[in-house]
Amino acid sequence: MVIFNMGRVLQATRKASIKGSTLNAQAASPGYMDAFRRKIVPSNQRLVEEYKRTIYACANINSNSIVSTPLRLYVKTGQGDKTTVLRTKALESNHIDYLSSKPFLGKTLRSFLNVEEVVEHPILTLLEKANSSRYINGQKLQEFIQLYQELTGIAYLLIETSLPFGLPQNLWILPTQWVKPRQKGNKLIDHYEFSPPGSNVPIKYQPEDIISFLMPSLIDPYVDGVSPLQASYESNEVNKKLMSHEDALLTNEARPDVIISPKDAESAFSPETAEKFERQYRLKFAFGRSGGAWVPDEPIVVTPVTIPPRDLARLEINKWSKNDIANAFSIPFALIADASHNREQLEAAELGHAKHGITPRCNRNTCVWNDLFVSLFDNSGRLFLAYDDPVPENRVEKMQESVQFVMNGIATPNERRKLHNMPPHPDGNELRAINVSPELMRDNKANSGDDERESKE
């Protein structure tokens, strides 16, 4: 009989990942990121320092998208559950369908009798204020959580509890580059060490004090995360070198545009004559006066200096590196490209970004919030957090659908006006089909009971 010990498996996995990792920034022995084994895997401190240029743009696009997607609290009432005493508001059927479609929520909502949005609860208060500091509120806290994930693959949230009930009182973001998980014995994580600059002794936190948001890592799935920046680090290095090279050329471009030499190759300019020609040329053409005519009073030869163009090649390399970085961050290139795009292309890019980039991030964060945060307030399983759908709806298609529903007698005008957040119309509660067949009208009346009422009358 084989006894499966999951604790030993996790411990062995953790030790193997630390020993042979090529991506883990916390590894005891550094790994390499290139095929020639010359570039060491960047530390979390180095990754955070790359928060600029294309990385800044991509990380902020994802972070801002997460922050702008509302995170709401819900309560479900199942068979045998008491009616909730919390302040709630009812949900539209399409919103309940959206929640049920989520893989991480559908299972918990299969046996529900009712789902409502909670509008007042300590969870919502804490998510809004975050902590007692006046520098970081709930919005900034979520922004930092996502930014650290985009750059390092990990975000650490410190939970400060209050006595005597032990409920969370403050949420503090811990800079990832100063946090290290430590293992001891059979524990996957024995404690966390927080070592900010200037501290001689690291601060130790227990695993239950820390909520870690991890991006998927195939090297160490339980403790570590791999960020989009780590996945595209070499492309970012190419982009940095191009920018540094251009800056060096603009700062000190030691090349002349013309060469002024004597007409007679056997003679040479005296220092005074050379200085005179140089001064005359600069006075004539410097500071935006290029293109004018110059008639020297001595026989000279002016030779233009032609340097082979190389800007196009640099632009192509720069475009390639930015595209590779954007792909790692799940951002369509149209959202960061310099070239102009029409409205249709930008809307398609935003739709793809929300569907393939933001939705998975929202789902991943939601699981962490529910498993490690909501459970600190309520262990009944009835409360859960969920983001609104980050995929923007097509307003044109939605309006066209509403028009068709009303004209075909499928919905009343007020039903569709409510869907578009419009006030009800006094005469909008009646089905008024316009372009439907008489047979469909009879079916609608039969289904609604109008035929029976008319026959009684």
Side-chain angles (χ1 to χ4, degrees):
M1 180 177 180
V2 178
I3 300 177
F4 186 76
N5 191 323
M6 189 60 188
R8 291 183 180 179
V9 173
L10 296 181
Q11 181 185 10
T13 303
R14 178 63 179 156
K15 287 182 178 179
S17 65
I18 291 179
K19 183 178 180 181
S21 172
T22 58
L23 284 176
N24 191 347
Q26 309 289 352
S29 58
Y32 299 91
M33 59 179 298
D34 64 321
F36 305 104
R37 300 179 66 82
R38 291 194 172 195
K39 296 181 180 179
I40 297 177
V41 171
S43 64
N44 285 335
Q45 177 66 42
R46 184 60 183 270
L47 292 171
V48 170
E49 292 172 356
E50 296 302 317
Y51 184 49
K52 48 193 172 185
R53 290 188 294 271
T54 304
I55 300 300
Y56 178 92
C58 292
N60 273 281
I61 288 176
N62 286 341
S63 177
N64 292 336
S65 299
I66 295 292
V67 172
S68 61
T69 305
L71 180 62
R72 304 183 191 275
L73 180 65
Y74 302 91
V75 58
K76 69 182 184 72
T77 302
Q79 189 173 4
D81 292 333
K82 295 182 180 180
T83 304
T84 179
V85 296
L86 301 174
R87 284 188 57 194
T88 61
K89 69 176 182 180
L91 299 177
E92 298 289 340
S93 59
N94 59 340
H95 196 92
I96 297 178
D97 292 340
Y98 162 72
L99 294 175
S100 302
S101 67
K102 291 297 179 182
F104 55 90
L105 292 177
K107 193 173 183 179
T108 65
L109 297 179
R110 285 176 186 169
S111 59
F112 74 90
L113 298 178
N114 189 26
V115 177
E116 300 170 286
E117 180 184 352
V118 180
V119 297
E120 185 177 343
H121 194 276
I123 290 178
L124 298 175
T125 303
L126 187 55
L127 287 177
E128 182 179 357
K129 77 177 185 71
N131 52 58
S132 56
S133 169
R134 60 191 179 113
Y135 301 104
I136 296 181
N137 55 20
Q139 178 177 334
K140 294 294 294 183
L141 183 74
Q142 290 208 48
E143 188 175 0
F144 280 120
I145 288 174
Q146 196 58 44
L147 284 175
Y148 277 115
Q149 289 187 80
E150 301 293 333
L151 269 63
T152 66
I154 313 172
Y156 294 110
L157 192 63
L158 174 63
I159 307 296
E160 181 184 347
T161 58
S162 61
L163 297 176
F165 302 106
L167 294 177
Q169 183 180 18
N170 289 296
L171 304 177
W172 304 95
I173 188 71
L174 297 181
T176 304
Q177 66 272 23
W178 301 337
V179 179
K180 291 184 179 180
R182 297 301 187 187
Q183 183 188 21
K184 184 179 179 181
N186 293 329
K187 294 183 179 180
L188 190 64
I189 297 178
D190 180 73
H191 65 276
Y192 291 92
E193 290 185 359
F194 180 57
S195 304
S199 62
N200 297 325
V201 180
I203 304 173
K204 293 184 179 181
Y205 293 112
Q206 296 304 309
E208 57 268 20
D209 297 330
I210 300 291
I211 293 180
S212 56
F213 295 80
L214 304 177
M215 283 195 164
S217 169
L218 299 180
I219 301 296
D220 192 351
Y222 302 101
V223 178
D224 198 17
V226 175
S227 69
L229 173 55
Q230 288 172 288
S232 60
Y233 193 80
E234 290 176 286
S235 296
N236 184 56
E237 289 290 291
V238 172
N239 190 275
K240 281 170 47 181
K241 290 176 182 177
L242 283 174
M243 295 296 296
S244 299
H245 194 262
E246 292 295 331
D247 179 68
L249 286 177
L250 293 173
T251 303
N252 182 27
E253 189 172 11
R255 70 181 193 187
D257 292 322
V258 297
I259 297 177
I260 302 175
S261 56
K263 185 74 172 177
D264 186 358
E266 296 180 358
S267 61
F269 289 147
S270 64
E272 294 79 10
T273 303
E275 185 179 356
K276 180 190 73 171
F277 280 120
E278 183 177 353
R279 183 171 59 253
Q280 288 180 352
Y281 191 85
R282 292 178 63 85
L283 288 174
K284 188 74 176 178
F285 299 105
F287 302 106
R289 291 189 289 270
S290 60
W294 180 38
V295 183
D297 54 2
E298 296 186 29
I300 61 173
V301 176
V302 179
T303 306
V305 177
T306 303
I307 298 179
R310 52 187 175 181
D311 292 339
L312 291 179
R314 291 181 185 176
L315 288 175
E316 285 300 317
I317 296 176
N318 183 54
K319 182 178 178 181
W320 165 81
S321 62
K322 288 178 65 176
N323 188 41
D324 191 59
I325 293 171
N327 286 337
F329 281 85
S330 302
I331 295 177
F333 192 59
L335 297 183
I336 63 169
D338 299 329
S340 59
H341 294 81
N342 57 42
R343 181 176 178 179
E344 184 178 352
Q345 291 173 325
L346 289 176
E347 288 181 350
E350 291 175 353
L351 181 64
H353 174 240
K355 184 176 181 180
H356 302 292
I358 301 305
T359 297
R361 285 168 167 81
C362 287
N363 294 344
R364 192 160 49 238
N365 289 353
T366 300
C367 292
V368 177
W369 284 118
N370 287 327
D371 294 342
L372 302 178
F373 178 68
V374 175
S375 58
L376 299 176
F377 292 86
D378 178 80
N379 57 7
S380 68
R382 294 182 62 183
L383 291 177
F384 63 92
L385 289 165
Y387 286 92
D388 284 359
D389 191 355
V391 180
E393 62 182 2
N394 191 318
R395 292 186 175 89
V396 176
E397 291 183 1
K398 186 177 179 181
M399 181 60 71
Q400 291 175 348
E401 179 188 80
S402 295
V403 171
Q404 292 297 321
F405 273 41
V406 173
M407 294 182 67
N408 291 309
I410 301 175
T412 65
N414 280 345
E415 288 175 344
R416 304 309 292 187
R417 289 173 70 89
K418 183 179 181 180
L419 193 61
H420 293 277
N421 296 320
M422 299 171 64
H425 192 274
D427 300 326
N429 293 322
E430 184 180 351
L431 288 174
R432 296 179 180 178
I434 298 175
N435 54 354
V436 297
S437 63
E439 291 79 8
L440 183 56
M441 282 293 296
R442 285 195 295 270
D443 290 342
N444 287 338
K445 284 186 177 183
N447 293 332
S448 62
D450 290 345
D451 282 347
E452 185 178 350
R453 287 194 295 269
E454 290 179 0
S455 62
K456 290 181 179 180
E457 293 176 356

